[in-house]
Amino acid sequence: MADYPSDYEFDIVLRDGAVARFRPLRPEDAPLLLALFEHTGAQSRYYRFFRAKDELTPEELEHFTTVDYVDRMAFGVFEDGEMVGVGRYDRAEDEPAAEVAFLVADAQQGRGIGTALLQMLGSYGRAHGVSEFKAFVLPENLQMMRVFRSSGYELSRTLEEGVYSLDFPTAVSVGSRAAEEEREKRAVAASILPIFYPRSIAVVGASRTPGSIGARLFSNLVGSGFTGAVYPVNPKAGVVHSVRAYPSILDIPDPVDLAFIVVPAHFALDAVRECAEKRVKGLVVISAGFSEVPGGEDLERQILEVARSAGMRMVGPNCMGVLNTDPAVQMNGTFAPVYPPRGNVAMSSQSGALGIAILDYARQNNIGISTFISVGNKADVSGNDLLLAWEEDPATDVIVLYLESFGNPRRFARLARRIARKKPIVAVKAGRTSAGTRAASSHTGALASLDVAVEALFNQAGVIRTTTLEELFGVASLLANQPVPKGRRVGVITNAGGPGILAADALESEELELPELSEGLRAKLAEALSAEASTRNPIDLIASAGPDHYRHCIETLIESDEVDAVMVIYIPTTPDGLQGVAAAVREMATAHHGEKTFVTVFMESEHSAALFEDARVPTFVFPEAAAIALSRAARYGEWLTRPEGTIPTLAGLDPGAARRVVAAAVGRLGDEGGWLEPGEVDEVLAAFGIRLPVSRVVVTADEAAVAAVDIGGKVVLKVIAPSALHKSDVGGVLLDVEGEGAVRAGFDHLMSVVGDPEGVLVQEMVAGGHEVLIGVTEDPSFGPLLVFGLGGVYVELLKDVAVRIAPITDRDAAEMVGEIKTARLLQGRYRNFPPGDLDALQEALLRVSALVEAVPELVEMDMNPVKVLLPGEGVRVVDARIKVRPLKPGWSPELLDIPGLAGHR
């Protein structure tokens, strides 16, 4: 019997938004299972046991609750300390298929419990060698049939003696993943709903002290015109801001949907317990003094446990609050002194103090907000949950994130990749340089830093990354008000040459284009301009230009097919010219809204946003900021047009063989892990169809001579020693060795170049081809990173690499090969260098991705050099090293990304 798998204790969001605890059964759960059975109707029992059954015997209870956690597994679902559902699988020893069965309390059916149990059993079964599930279902058990049909698994169904037999593989398929994601999206959005759309609010810690957070929060809720009831809770005051106060939330006579906790940290736990007793649906814990300070982690864990056990979702602690500008709610649940205008941008900030500045900036720049939330410590509700809540929110068109850390980067990547195809996600990630480059014992590790991982994540997921808050708001303003650019061609209209030159420089530095306009278009532009005006791009209307000149040129450019975006620049040259030109710009922008991307630059001392409060026109003070916003939006537009890519099914994979080699090596190497032996490396790579030259490890000169004869032709000799991590750096590699004498002499030489020689690798010489590096390094937050670039001894010097987070798609593999600076060498487009086998190279990247997914113990790998031979000849791995380490508890790709988990795990 295996140890109790505590890693599989989860909080899962159910279909109705409630949170339930999922965990493996234990023998002491027998009384809870009996209570579940007794509260289940006769029909449900009949469906489960295929006969009328009135009781569970002690022997049956022991059998059902005592499992071995490998061949016999059971999960229970718990709410308020009671078991509301159970699912299990049983298989005969060494059999690949297992039988699954479920029992859900009658009152709990329809909440998605059975579906979630099937998902969890599938995840656990896959990790323990169960490749297929079998279920027996009575034809009249329609509820269970719906569970299986909606699971997305590929079912085969047969009817024998009045019972359906359902068989389906446990492997994740496109259908099963889509079904899981749809359930997750609806469940998490429902769980967040009471936080953004409460009907009643209690402020626990509402204060009469002017300037206090409790006073400001309560005042903002009342002053913003919240459409529901607001109840102040203060045991020392009968009235707060002219509203009757209650000593405890339990004294409020009416139901409460959302509670704000604004009390000192040492009172917060009791306040949350009272909220749980009151059956509050959501919490926003403003209070500080939790995991952000030494010694506060345990208190945060306790309030989270109370919230989860009561099915409440919790924002914070240590946060600024939440607001919703929807007129149906009109909720300002923050202590910020400003309230932004209503709009279509949803924002999340991990920093509470910065959140105040964000709201103020939004108000000053006329950026309309749909919802805003400060997530604080992210003990429960995280950025991933908010992405799911905003995915189908009709009030939100653009999602903006200020991030300081990722709770679950793998889940973020999956969600963002899907959601960014519906709505742009704009993010600024703090801490770009704090980590620096980690010390590493391989080329791959030295090339991958924290910020490289963030950049890879955002690139794969289509997230628009900005480096400053100013850029963040510039891009958000553009995308909230204008269509995504269809290309990189920009037409610039200006009334001064200097700003036009600055705009041209900025656009080109951001890799945008200022196309030469055709003679026909220039002639049309000139029809309404003075003779001194220039119709080249940038179009210089000169200082005397007025509203009619701008109106004509804007309309002409928008109606042409020679530009994808229009930038209008204006410097006030007369006291009354500003309003007239602004009116003309508003008129044209409104008349042609959606036809082309449109930005303005009004270079005047007062902030220009006020000029366009009534129009969807993003405006900037300087052309450089407008160019940056256009560039980010254009790159996003290109990402939208790319194929999404798939993770292909590759032939010739044997994950089991690789895992057996690695498991044996981990047992030999101990808790710290280490590098595999050359023969083990060969076996692991061969299990995934990655070709290596013929090689043999030898420990004497005689063995070296025999090995060279057996391999035939020229060989390569490489020293094997713990100190020789980079063999070429210590003179530990000899190329083009041929003949017995040369082999013997080479062996003797290599055994002398290091102080700890263990032998020599005699390897087939692979001539020709381009040398590249393919590697893997494990980031502590992001998991395995794949690195590809120019190979050989110069890789760390040139740092010409592409990085992606595993797993990668076929599209990712193609982009990695094409985006390095030396890609032209591989493509045969530089001087007389021959092309390489790019198809085989991309497949090699996909095979490495499959390897790291199947063998999570792999923490570092260098394949350098990898020879990319001529088209049709494939690739050959000349040298490879693999480092492994025992898995940390709870670490596996599936455990890190089970759809529907509550919180940011």
Side-chain angles (χ1 to χ4, degrees):
M1 181 174 176
D3 293 335
Y4 175 78
S6 58
D7 298 334
Y8 276 84
E9 293 185 349
F10 299 116
D11 292 306
I12 296 277
V13 183
L14 300 178
R15 184 176 297 155
D16 58 5
V19 179
R21 170 58 57 94
F22 276 58
R23 65 167 174 80
L25 286 195
R26 299 186 288 246
E28 54 266 34
D29 291 323
L32 294 174
L33 179 60
L34 180 60
L36 168 63
F37 178 84
E38 291 175 344
H39 287 90
T40 303
Q43 185 181 63
S44 295
R45 296 179 191 175
Y46 180 76
Y47 287 160
R48 168 62 181 87
F49 296 100
F50 288 32
R51 58 189 174 90
K53 190 170 181 61
D54 297 326
E55 64 176 358
L56 288 178
T57 67
E59 292 76 17
E60 288 175 319
L61 284 171
E62 181 181 5
H63 172 77
F64 288 137
T65 57
T66 303
V67 293
D68 63 12
Y69 303 120
V70 178
D71 295 317
R72 299 180 60 248
M73 181 60 188
F75 281 101
V77 186
F78 303 86
E79 279 191 310
D80 295 328
E82 296 182 355
M83 186 184 297
V84 296
V86 64
R88 64 183 298 110
Y89 73 68
D90 295 85
R91 68 169 170 176
E93 188 174 357
D94 297 328
E95 287 293 324
E99 181 183 340
V100 291
F102 305 88
L103 182 66
V104 178
D106 289 2
Q108 307 295 332
Q109 293 178 11
R111 302 177 64 204
I113 292 175
T115 302
L117 280 167
L118 178 59
Q119 172 190 335
M120 191 66 70
L121 287 168
S123 171
Y124 193 89
R126 285 192 295 270
H128 290 80
V130 178
S131 61
E132 185 177 338
F133 277 157
K134 178 184 291 289
F136 297 98
V137 184
L138 293 170
E140 58 267 33
N141 190 354
L142 301 180
Q143 182 77 10
M144 202 69 246
M145 293 293 285
R146 277 194 293 270
V147 167
F148 287 116
R149 281 200 301 268
S150 65
S151 68
Y153 287 111
E154 299 175 2
L155 302 173
S156 61
R157 184 176 69 175
T158 57
L159 181 63
E160 296 181 7
E161 299 181 358
V163 177
Y164 279 115
S165 174
L166 305 178
D167 299 276
F168 51 97
T170 62
V172 176
S173 65
V174 173
S176 65
R177 174 55 83 172
E180 290 175 353
E181 291 182 348
E182 183 66 21
R183 186 194 72 79
E184 174 189 45
K185 176 174 64 177
R186 296 184 181 279
V188 172
S191 75
I192 302 295
L193 196 65
I195 294 173
F196 282 133
Y197 286 88
R199 292 167 296 181
S200 57
I201 294 174
V203 180
V204 182
S207 175
R208 296 189 297 184
T209 304
S212 67
I213 290 179
R216 286 152 55 193
L217 175 68
F218 185 79
S219 177
N220 283 349
L221 281 167
V222 175
S224 66
F226 175 61
T227 56
V230 183
Y231 303 101
V233 176
N234 187 326
K236 297 181 180 180
V239 175
V240 175
H241 292 288
S242 302
V243 180
R244 177 191 173 187
Y246 297 87
S248 164
I249 196 171
L250 298 173
D251 297 316
I252 298 174
D254 301 315
V256 174
D257 285 342
L258 179 63
F260 288 82
I261 308 297
V262 201
V263 298
H266 58 278
F267 292 128
L269 182 57
D270 287 338
V272 172
R273 285 171 175 156
E274 291 184 349
C275 290
E277 187 176 347
K278 181 66 177 176
R279 299 281 182 178
V280 172
K281 297 177 181 177
L283 291 175
V284 179
V285 182
I286 305 291
S287 309
F290 297 91
S291 64
E292 78 279 6
V293 299
E297 297 88 349
D298 187 59
L299 183 57
E300 181 170 299
R301 180 192 57 76
Q302 291 181 62
I303 67 168
L304 176 60
E305 183 63 32
V306 173
R308 290 275 179 83
S309 65
M312 296 184 290
R313 298 307 306 270
M314 180 178 74
V315 177
N318 184 35
C319 72
M320 193 188 78
V322 58
L323 63 80
N324 185 351
T325 63
D326 189 327
V329 183
Q330 204 70 22
M331 175 184 63
N332 183 5
T334 76
F335 54 85
V338 293
Y339 189 68
R342 186 188 177 204
N344 59 346
V345 178
M347 289 189 177
S348 167
S349 172
Q350 198 168 336
S351 167
L354 192 60
I356 296 176
I358 287 174
L359 292 178
D360 185 48
Y361 194 97
R363 180 181 59 81
Q364 291 183 22
N365 290 270
N366 197 36
I367 297 174
I369 303 298
S370 57
T371 50
F372 170 87
I373 186 167
S374 163
V375 294
N377 294 357
K378 300 191 299 182
D380 179 31
V381 173
S382 68
N384 291 335
D385 294 317
L386 295 171
L387 288 178
L388 289 164
W390 289 327
E391 181 175 4
E392 302 294 345
D393 178 20
T396 296
D397 295 323
V398 180
I399 297 170
V400 172
L401 307 173
Y402 170 77
L403 301 169
E404 293 176 354
S405 64
F406 290 94
N408 187 337
R410 182 181 291 267
R411 188 182 183 210
F412 179 90
R414 172 175 61 82
L415 296 177
R417 194 191 292 250
R418 181 183 80 224
I419 295 169
R421 293 200 171 269
K422 305 175 184 178
K423 301 177 180 182
I425 301 171
V426 190
V428 60
K429 170 67 175 67
R432 291 173 60 92
T433 61
S434 60
T437 301
R438 295 185 293 113
S441 53
S442 71
H443 294 299
T444 304
L447 291 165
S449 66
L450 173 64
D451 198 60
V452 167
V454 173
E455 195 70 29
L457 172 63
F458 285 172
N459 284 340
Q460 284 174 266
V463 175
I464 304 167
R465 186 177 191 180
T466 60
T467 57
T468 67
L469 287 174
E470 184 179 11
E471 288 181 17
L472 182 81
F473 280 105
V475 177
S477 177
L478 189 155
L479 292 172
N481 294 290
Q482 291 292 309
V484 176
K486 295 180 180 178
R488 291 179 172 264
R489 302 172 303 168
V490 183
V492 178
I493 302 170
T494 179
N495 68 336
I501 295 172
L502 290 175
D505 289 344
L507 291 167
E508 289 191 5
S509 68
E510 291 295 329
E511 300 181 339
L512 296 171
E513 302 172 17
L514 271 81
E516 290 282 347
L517 304 181
S518 67
E519 291 298 325
L521 180 57
R522 292 181 62 185
K524 189 171 183 179
L525 287 167
E527 290 175 359
L529 302 181
S530 65
E532 294 82 6
S534 171
T535 57
R536 299 178 67 87
N537 192 13
I539 301 161
D540 187 356
L541 308 183
I542 70 173
S544 60
D548 289 339
H549 301 103
Y550 272 93
R551 189 179 289 108
H552 168 73
C553 289
I554 292 170
E555 187 168 31
T556 301
L557 279 188
I558 287 178
E559 290 178 350
S560 80
D561 60 359
E562 297 184 28
V563 296
D564 305 300
V566 176
M567 179 188 294
V568 175
I569 303 174
Y570 179 73
I571 295 181
T573 55
T574 62
D576 56 351
L578 180 64
Q579 294 298 329
V581 171
V585 170
R586 286 197 303 269
E587 177 188 336
M588 288 296 98
T590 302
H592 296 278
H593 181 71
E595 295 180 36
K596 276 191 175 63
T597 308
F598 189 83
V599 298
T600 65
V601 179
F602 273 61
M603 302 176 69
E604 40 85 32
S605 58
E606 295 297 324
H607 206 286
S608 57
L611 295 170
F612 300 101
E613 286 183 344
D614 58 346
R616 302 187 65 178
V617 181
T619 187
F620 301 85
V621 178
F622 299 110
E624 292 85 354
I628 290 172
L630 273 174
S631 172
R632 303 296 185 272
R635 291 177 197 171
Y636 171 66
E638 291 172 347
W639 180 85
L640 286 174
T641 63
R642 297 173 188 166
E644 290 190 47
T646 59
I647 299 177
T649 301
L650 301 169
L653 304 188
D654 189 354
R659 287 196 57 83
R660 286 190 292 272
V661 173
V662 170
V666 166
R668 181 187 77 249
L669 295 167
D671 293 341
E672 296 302 316
W675 297 96
L676 298 184
E677 298 291 342
E680 294 171 328
V681 172
D682 292 353
E683 289 185 68
V684 170
L685 295 182
F688 280 81
I690 299 170
R691 294 185 61 191
L692 296 98
V694 179
S695 62
R696 187 178 303 172
V697 176
V698 299
V699 295
T700 68
D702 289 341
E703 291 178 357
V706 172
V709 171
D710 291 343
I711 292 171
K714 296 180 180 180
V715 296
V716 179
L717 303 181
K718 301 176 182 179
V719 68
I720 299 172
S723 64
L725 295 175
H726 303 307
K727 298 177 180 61
S728 57
D729 292 349
V730 297
V733 179
L734 298 176
L735 305 176
D736 293 314
V737 182
E738 188 175 19
E740 181 179 348
V743 171
R744 289 180 178 275
F747 176 90
D748 292 338
H749 170 72
L750 291 180
M751 294 295 282
S752 68
V753 297
V754 293
D756 56 346
E758 295 180 348
V760 169
L761 182 72
V762 183
Q763 188 178 71
E764 171 192 1
M765 179 71 190
V766 180
H770 301 281
E771 290 190 351
V772 300
L773 170 144
I774 299 176
V776 176
T777 185
E778 184 192 60
D779 185 276
S781 297
F782 294 82
L785 304 179
L786 266 68
V787 180
F788 166 76
L790 180 71
V793 297
Y794 302 112
V795 59
E796 288 184 38
L797 175 65
L798 299 179
K799 291 184 170 60
D800 183 19
V801 296
V803 179
R804 294 293 187 276
I805 293 172
I808 65 170
T809 66
D810 52 359
R811 183 69 196 181
D812 293 327
E815 289 179 353
M816 290 179 77
V817 172
E819 74 183 38
I820 61 172
K821 298 181 182 67
T822 46
R824 292 171 61 196
L825 283 174
L826 299 173
Q827 296 160 354
R829 296 192 298 113
Y830 183 74
R831 297 189 176 181
N832 294 321
F833 285 92
D837 193 336
L838 299 187
D839 290 340
L841 178 56
Q842 292 167 24
E843 182 177 318
L845 288 167
L846 291 166
R847 289 182 179 275
V848 171
S849 176
L851 167 60
V852 298
E853 283 290 286
V855 186
E857 295 91 345
L858 191 157
V859 294
E860 206 161 336
M861 179 171 75
D862 260 355
M863 298 196 307
N864 179 35
V866 176
K867 290 291 190 76
V868 184
L869 305 178
L870 293 172
E873 295 184 8
V875 300
R876 302 290 289 277
V877 179
V878 176
D879 195 17
R881 299 165 56 244
I882 295 176
K883 187 177 183 180
V884 296
R885 186 171 58 227
L887 289 182
K888 300 175 184 177
W891 202 107
S892 77
E894 292 203 347
L895 277 179
L896 288 176
D897 188 23
I898 294 178
L901 292 189
H904 67 271
R905 177 188 165 87

